[in-house]
Amino acid sequence: MSENSLIDAARQYHSGTKHSYLSVRLHPHALDWENKPLLFKIYPTMEVTRLPRDFQDTGKPALSAIAAAGVEPKGEAVPDLETLAQVLFFSAGVTKSRKHGEGETFFRAAACTGALYEIELYVVCSDLRSKIQLSGSPPALPAGVYHFGAAEFGLRQLRAGDCRQALITAAGDDPAVAHAPVIIICTGTYWRNAWKYRSRTYRHFGWDNGTILANCLAISGAMGLPTRVITGFIDPQVNTLLDLDTKREVSFSIVPVGWTQLVPPSPPAIEPLALPVVPYSAKEVDYASMRKIHEASSLDSVAEVIAWRGKTPGNEMAPAKETTSALLSLSDSRIPPDTIEQVISRRGSTRQFSRDPITMAELSTMLDRATRGIPADFIDPPGSHLNDLYLIVNNVIGLAAGAYVYHWDEKFLEPLKRGEFRDKAGYLGLEQQIPADAAVDIFFLADLKKILERYGNRGYRAAQLEAGILGGKLYLAAYAQKLGCSGLTFYDDDVASFFSPHARGKSAIFLIALGRSALRKSESSRR
Ligand SMILES: Cc1cc2nc3c(=O)[nH]c(=O)nc-3n(C[C@H](O)[C@H](O)[C@H](O)COP(=O)(O)O)c2cc1C
């Protein structure tokens, strides 16, 4: 029996990392600022190839870009170096920096728990040309395996030669991987996030990888490139290709970008690289429970990879008992024209909400555009999903305050209880002010029993990742409408109890707050 099917591992990890009113008091965690990890992975001996950053805006409205559930391949779609640079920048590049005291924080295109940016990106590609390349000249980026250096916005070549075939084998000949000229691999580095969040970091791998993927899907789609999220692969083969020290860093998802009918050559021998890496901190703490759930959710054979794909368990929801509120989403002709690049560039996390209302049309547009589907190997049939969305509505014009569940397929909100729940929302969101002040809080809950029975422990990765992707789409849908948004953490069991009996048996996976930023309000009143 494979370890992936011994699903007590995921159950134990999930229960062992729950937050509660008591747990945060019984196990407080003081941050060791002297030992704060470096936020970039640096290969000090490897030369960097800087990426071009004179991007051509796609002109694609952000709300259309996030709504698209994938681009069908229609012939050769091989990104050039400029296109790859644009995909990487708007997925995980440094978009802003803020000086404070002695230091400076570099914020990235996608939101990340604690701004610790523990997800690293690698690129495995064929020869790529440049837009300005003369015919007959050598490729602008030779085939190889590269690490994406967000700090210098560049690539460092870890291996020379076309290694895509190694990934195609690892992904069990997945057709999207098999036809991709470029494959992005996302990894999670434990300590970079565990410094603050200890063993809960493994959940954050899914969330923080998910927000990057939401951006990546949107920008790639806007550039006309077929893209897909692949989570079924033989972990040791992918980790070996990147030569990861798997006690510290592990592959989490892979994203084939583009389409070509040219079959890649056999890969060169995949020898160990043993490249030096600058240590993240003077000392690291190893949280064994995370390595345990990672190993227990790893796949070791092609048969396991093939069994992993598709066949998403259904989310049968009882028919609505009460009067429902249909979504009032904006039609495409009325959505704000701000492009995906403009919206990602101005995205941030709202630190304070104003308590002002948003409209039912704004809420509907966010829900509708964010839930039109994710092209992922664990989603089949298209449009199916692992998480259910439950809402606390604090202040939405046209929708009574209260708790709701979203009927995803029929696109309506069913009221579960009416009333004013601002204080409750603040409590459920780890006693923070953000969810109490937001106009709406969206809680993601999943039937982990059903998911683990279908997929094994790896279903746990998929549930967290899907929540992160949907959360990332909601971030962009909010900022596209000049609203605010923040991901949040929560008191697990209290969330499930609050939405029960409807949510009985489900587990809290993620939380996001949406509304109007207090800062934007004070800025506009000063003008
Ligand atoms: C999954 C997720 C959970 C988060 N949880 C919290 C939270 O509990 N409290 C909070 O103040 N911010 C939270 N944030 C916001 C991050 O602190 C923020 O993304 C990070 O500081 C980077 O800043 P930026 O989003 O403005 O680029 C969360 C973000 C994400 C993506």
Side-chain angles (χ1 to χ4, degrees):
M1 203 180 227
S2 83
E3 216 184 328
N4 184 47
S5 59
L6 304 174
I7 57 178
D8 263 353
R11 286 200 197 110
Q12 274 169 21
Y13 172 80
H14 188 68
S15 316
T17 54
K18 281 181 180 174
H19 278 328
S20 71
Y21 180 84
L22 263 188
S23 76
V24 297
R25 284 163 175 82
L26 289 175
H27 310 289
H29 178 52
L31 294 179
D32 179 357
W33 288 100
E34 293 294 303
N35 198 41
K36 185 180 176 189
L38 193 65
L39 301 185
F40 298 96
K41 182 173 188 183
I42 300 172
Y43 291 92
T45 56
M46 306 303 285
E47 277 204 17
V48 67
T49 304
R50 304 258 175 191
L51 288 164
R53 49 185 313 163
D54 45 346
F55 309 123
Q56 282 174 17
D57 198 292
T58 55
K60 184 93 172 168
L63 282 167
S64 311
I66 62 158
V71 174
E72 281 302 311
K74 287 193 210 95
E76 290 293 298
V78 180
D80 52 36
L81 184 63
E82 291 80 359
T83 304
L84 172 62
Q86 193 153 345
V87 169
L88 291 170
F89 181 81
F90 289 101
S91 300
V94 173
T95 47
K96 288 182 204 122
S97 68
R98 198 173 301 143
K99 288 210 163 64
H100 45 81
E102 301 283 283
E104 188 167 8
T105 304
F106 297 95
F107 292 93
R108 313 264 183 113
C112 177
T113 47
L116 291 162
Y117 305 112
E118 77 281 6
I119 305 296
E120 290 289 332
L121 266 51
Y122 298 80
V123 173
V124 179
C125 62
S126 60
D127 285 343
L128 298 184
R129 299 179 59 78
S130 157
K131 277 196 199 329
I132 50 170
Q133 194 173 326
L134 299 174
S135 67
S137 51
L141 189 73
V145 176
Y146 294 85
H147 172 252
F148 171 58
E152 15 353 42
F153 192 54
L155 293 172
R156 285 190 172 80
Q157 191 184 63
L158 308 183
R159 291 184 193 278
D162 195 333
C163 296
R164 288 174 297 151
Q165 191 61 55
L167 282 179
I168 298 170
T169 309
D173 287 323
D174 175 276
V177 180
H179 287 285
V182 172
I183 304 158
I184 296 173
I185 307 177
C186 304
T187 67
T189 48
Y190 294 113
W191 170 246
R192 286 251 293 281
N193 193 267
W195 168 74
K196 181 168 182 187
Y197 298 105
R198 295 177 280 178
S199 5
R200 208 165 149 101
T201 284
Y202 199 74
R203 298 186 185 208
H204 297 191
F205 280 5
W207 303 351
D208 296 332
N209 192 175
T211 57
I212 291 174
L213 294 180
N215 286 19
C216 182
L217 292 171
I219 186 73
S220 310
M223 300 184 93
L225 295 167
T227 318
R228 201 170 158 75
V229 176
I230 305 295
T231 50
F233 51 85
I234 301 176
D235 298 67
Q237 292 183 0
V238 179
N239 293 335
T240 300
L241 180 67
L242 302 180
D243 198 37
L244 301 181
D245 170 359
T246 53
K247 280 206 183 86
R248 296 196 162 81
E249 181 178 1
V250 286
S251 305
F252 205 81
S253 67
I254 62 184
V255 187
V257 180
W259 198 91
T260 178
Q261 64 175 2
L262 294 178
V263 178
S266 304
I270 310 295
E271 306 288 355
L273 297 171
L275 295 169
V277 173
V278 176
Y280 295 131
S281 293
K283 54 182 190 295
E284 296 188 9
V285 180
D286 174 28
Y287 294 95
S289 64
M290 293 199 280
R291 280 191 293 105
K292 204 166 151 194
I293 172 63
H294 188 76
E295 276 152 33
S297 58
S298 290
L299 304 181
D300 295 313
S301 68
V302 168
E304 279 189 292
V305 170
I306 289 169
W308 161 260
R309 290 182 196 145
K311 297 181 283 294
T312 314
N315 298 52
E316 298 83 30
M317 203 173 271
K321 285 199 188 120
E322 253 205 78
T323 344
T324 58
S325 300
L327 296 192
L328 299 172
S329 337
L330 294 177
S331 65
D332 281 348
S333 60
R334 293 190 50 214
I335 58 171
D338 302 20
T339 64
I340 185 66
E341 289 91 341
Q342 290 169 329
V343 169
I344 292 178
S345 302
R346 73 165 178 253
R347 188 213 61 78
S349 292
T350 303
R351 307 325 301 170
Q352 199 188 341
F353 285 98
S354 68
R355 292 207 169 199
D356 289 333
I358 63 169
T359 65
M360 182 60 179
E362 287 167 333
L363 171 62
S364 302
T365 303
M366 291 188 277
L367 279 173
D368 168 38
R369 298 307 200 279
T371 60
R372 290 203 189 169
I374 299 170
D377 61 351
F378 57 88
I379 300 287
D380 186 35
S384 46
H385 49 97
L386 304 179
N387 284 274
D388 291 322
L389 306 187
Y390 289 79
L391 285 73
I392 292 184
V393 170
N394 292 326
N395 198 0
V396 175
I397 297 168
L399 191 64
Y404 293 79
V405 61
Y406 177 51
H407 285 251
W408 194 297
D409 299 327
E410 300 91 344
K411 292 198 184 284
F412 66 77
L413 292 165
E414 175 191 358
L416 299 178
K417 42 189 165 188
R418 294 192 194 277
E420 159 72 45
F421 294 114
R422 277 196 189 273
D423 289 349
K424 188 74 186 175
Y427 170 80
L428 294 175
L430 213 78
E431 301 173 64
Q432 298 181 80
Q433 198 56 40
I434 292 175
D437 291 339
V440 185
D441 297 299
I442 304 185
F443 295 81
F444 295 59
L445 284 91
D447 185 341
L448 281 184
K449 182 171 182 296
K450 205 158 62 174
I451 293 169
L452 298 179
E453 278 169 3
R454 155 65 187 94
Y455 291 117
N457 294 315
R458 204 176 185 87
Y460 190 70
R461 296 192 197 177
Q464 302 290 359
L465 188 70
E466 184 199 75
I469 297 173
L470 292 168
K473 286 183 179 228
L474 286 167
Y475 257 102
L476 300 178
Y479 277 80
Q481 300 184 92
K482 304 221 163 76
L483 299 172
C485 178
S486 182
L488 289 166
T489 199
F490 44 84
Y491 286 146
D492 288 80
D493 289 344
D494 292 332
V495 169
S497 308
F498 177 76
F499 291 106
S500 290
H502 195 282
R504 188 174 292 136
K506 295 182 194 171
S507 303
I509 300 292
F510 188 61
L511 166 58
I512 204 145
L514 301 162
R516 295 198 186 276
S517 160
L519 187 67
R520 191 175 277 278
K521 188 183 173 190
S522 65
E523 274 171 356
S524 55
S525 61
R526 258 187 265 129
R527 270 186 216 123

